[in-house]
Amino acid sequence: MKIMFSAGEASGDLHGAGLAGALRRLDPDIELLGMGGELMREAGVRIIYDIKNLGVIGVGEIIKKIPFFFKLRSFLVDTMAEERPDALVCIDYPGFNMRLIKKAKAAGIPVIYYILPTIWAWHKSRGETIAQYTDLAVSLFPFEAAMYRELGTNVVYGGHPLLDTVHAEWTKDKAYEAFGLDETKKTVVLMPGSRMQEVKGLFPQMLEAGRLIAEKTGNVQFIVPKATTIDRRVLQKLADTAALPIVIGEDHVYDMMNIADAAVCASGTATLETALMGLPTLLIYRVNTLTYLLSKILVHIDNIGLPNIIEGRRVMPELWQNDVTPEKIASVIVPLLTEEAAHEEARRAMLAVRDKMGEPGAVMRTGEIILEFIKEIRLHEAVQQLGEL
């Protein structure tokens, strides 16, 4: 059996790696290939295009790279024609994958979509495209599965993979030692994102906020988990200008969260990870002006953080666009470091998110669902061929 992946971001690489590992455990002889990153490569996927070169997030940035994306899509379509996988598994990255699934469908390749577009927020028409061009959709949330089912999608609820993966591996003592941090100081995790434009736009604001936080609290240190899609030198160059006690770490991000007292995090999957770790977090979101103005027209929700969407209310503070300033970031984080009651209230709010996300085992369940679906397709094709004889 052969499965091809299309994942375009660090979060997709993470989920793709987890799924690849489950598929290999279920079928050691399976062949996996596709677009992804280092984590998927380590999980046994033959990477035909490395996502390090991807990372645009705004409308303006996407327009500039349209010719590149056309070429990349053509490359993946040609690869499908050459490899003839039993299925294409698209993971998130809807701006790209929504077009790729049409090409795969036209080529007769069964399409499976994992980490579905957020039609409850915007681009509800994408749900209709998923229903038309996807043979199987695997949903992370019950409410999401219901929405897609209403549109006629063949969708199953598999649960959220982060429930299987988000946990510390080290003791706190080992983590402090491994990262070179002082256990007597308060620790703040800074997560500026997995795309270069996010990092360049948000990390300087975080660092200046860090200076203000240090002035007001005194006994504080910072750690930055390096995303697999970001060159360490970029982070280090920016951090060196800050004159702060700051460490750039690689791997063991949940051990960083486990010893932290608070986090400042770019909008995305990482906010759900901090919530699952019970880490009080501030979400920040800023894109170019054109993208933001369009999003104000198209987006139909009051919160953009997944923890807040799951809870149906704002349990994780959010700062958007022009409100993303060092002063406002510091004003949220300082009480979490200095006021025990504020910290405990925020921690409990984060842990409540986990209670609404179902049971662990989602990754293996999803692997089983995918393999069974492909076997059913193969059986159906075999019966058709026999009927034609």
Side-chain angles (χ1 to χ4, degrees):
M1 188 180 294
K2 182 188 295 186
I3 294 177
M4 181 170 166
F5 289 94
S6 177
E9 299 175 297
S11 60
D13 185 37
L14 173 68
H15 293 311
L19 180 57
L23 291 169
R24 285 202 169 280
R25 287 192 294 276
L26 293 164
D27 181 0
D29 296 324
I30 198 168
E31 182 179 352
L32 306 173
L33 72 149
M35 180 170 76
E38 188 59 35
L39 295 177
M40 289 174 64
R41 180 181 285 110
E42 292 173 359
V45 180
R46 172 161 56 93
I47 298 299
I48 59 174
Y49 184 84
D50 195 308
I51 62 173
K52 282 184 179 179
N53 296 321
L54 303 177
V56 295
I57 57 173
V59 174
E61 296 92 338
I62 290 172
I63 290 173
K64 294 175 186 176
K65 296 198 74 173
I66 283 177
F68 162 78
F69 284 115
F70 270 110
K71 290 179 181 178
L72 178 56
R73 189 171 71 231
S74 295
F75 168 68
L76 294 180
V77 170
D78 290 343
T79 301
M80 278 189 281
E82 180 181 342
E83 296 282 350
R84 298 304 301 177
D86 292 290
L88 170 70
V89 175
C90 290
I91 303 174
D92 201 3
Y93 209 52
F96 181 85
N97 281 331
M98 294 292 285
R99 292 170 176 81
L100 184 63
I101 62 176
K102 296 178 181 180
K103 297 290 186 179
K105 191 74 170 179
I109 305 294
V111 175
I112 299 170
Y113 214 115
Y114 180 49
I115 318 293
L116 290 160
T118 54
I119 58 172
W120 66 84
W122 71 329
H123 276 318
K124 292 185 179 180
S125 61
R126 284 176 169 175
E128 297 170 357
T129 303
I130 290 288
Q132 183 176 354
Y133 292 98
T134 297
D135 296 284
L136 175 68
V138 183
S139 174
L140 306 187
F141 307 105
F143 73 87
E144 178 185 68
M147 292 181 70
Y148 272 96
R149 196 169 291 115
E150 288 178 3
L151 294 171
T153 309
N154 180 28
V155 59
V156 294
Y157 166 57
H160 206 294
L162 288 181
L163 290 169
D164 298 310
T165 58
V166 178
H167 56 81
E169 296 181 7
W170 294 338
T171 64
K172 289 189 175 184
D173 287 342
K174 182 175 180 179
Y176 279 117
E177 181 180 358
F179 298 127
L181 294 173
D182 185 345
E183 62 183 286
T184 65
K185 293 183 177 180
K186 297 289 186 179
T187 302
V188 178
V189 176
L190 303 178
M191 303 184 72
S194 62
R195 306 162 186 170
M196 190 60 70
Q197 280 151 324
E198 281 182 310
V199 171
K200 289 182 177 179
L202 296 178
F203 197 32
Q205 300 293 320
M206 290 181 175
L207 292 172
E208 178 58 22
R211 186 184 64 78
L212 298 176
I213 293 166
E215 285 180 0
K216 294 181 179 182
T217 64
N219 202 29
V220 65
Q221 59 196 346
F222 302 88
I223 187 165
V224 183
K226 187 192 83 65
T228 57
T229 49
I230 300 297
D231 190 322
R232 181 187 181 91
R233 291 171 295 184
V234 173
L235 295 173
Q236 193 66 62
K237 184 177 180 180
L238 290 169
D240 287 344
T241 66
L244 286 173
I246 184 166
V247 172
I248 297 175
E250 295 190 46
D251 302 324
H252 290 275
V253 63
Y254 304 134
D255 291 295
M256 298 181 200
M257 295 178 185
N258 194 41
I259 59 174
D261 299 281
V264 183
C265 188
S267 174
T269 302
T271 60
L272 192 52
E273 293 174 301
T274 60
L276 291 175
M277 287 296 296
L279 178 61
T281 300
L282 167 64
L283 178 155
I284 61 175
Y285 170 81
R286 189 169 72 177
V287 290
N288 70 36
T289 303
L290 174 60
T291 301
Y292 184 69
L293 291 175
L294 285 173
S295 71
K296 291 286 284 184
I297 297 172
L298 298 172
V299 176
H300 312 293
I301 55 175
D302 296 322
N303 299 302
I304 57 176
L306 278 172
N308 296 332
I309 292 170
I310 292 169
E311 283 289 301
R313 61 190 181 92
R314 186 166 290 191
V315 295
M316 177 182 287
E318 299 183 3
L319 293 177
W320 297 11
Q321 207 63 7
N322 293 334
D323 284 335
V324 180
T325 65
E327 291 76 16
K328 288 190 175 182
I329 293 172
S331 71
V332 175
I333 297 299
V334 168
L336 296 175
L337 302 179
T338 59
E339 300 174 19
E340 185 175 344
H343 182 273
E344 181 61 18
E345 181 182 358
R347 189 185 73 85
R348 289 182 181 276
M350 295 299 93
L351 290 175
V353 175
R354 175 183 280 273
D355 295 336
K356 290 194 175 181
M357 288 183 59
E359 297 296 323
V363 178
M364 191 62 70
R365 282 196 301 272
T366 299
E368 292 169 348
I369 289 167
I370 288 173
L371 291 183
E372 186 61 31
F373 183 73
I374 293 173
K375 288 175 183 177
E376 289 177 2
I377 291 176
R378 282 179 157 187
L379 178 60
H380 179 70
E381 291 175 347
V383 170
Q384 280 189 322
Q385 290 173 358
L386 285 173
E388 294 171 358
L389 294 177

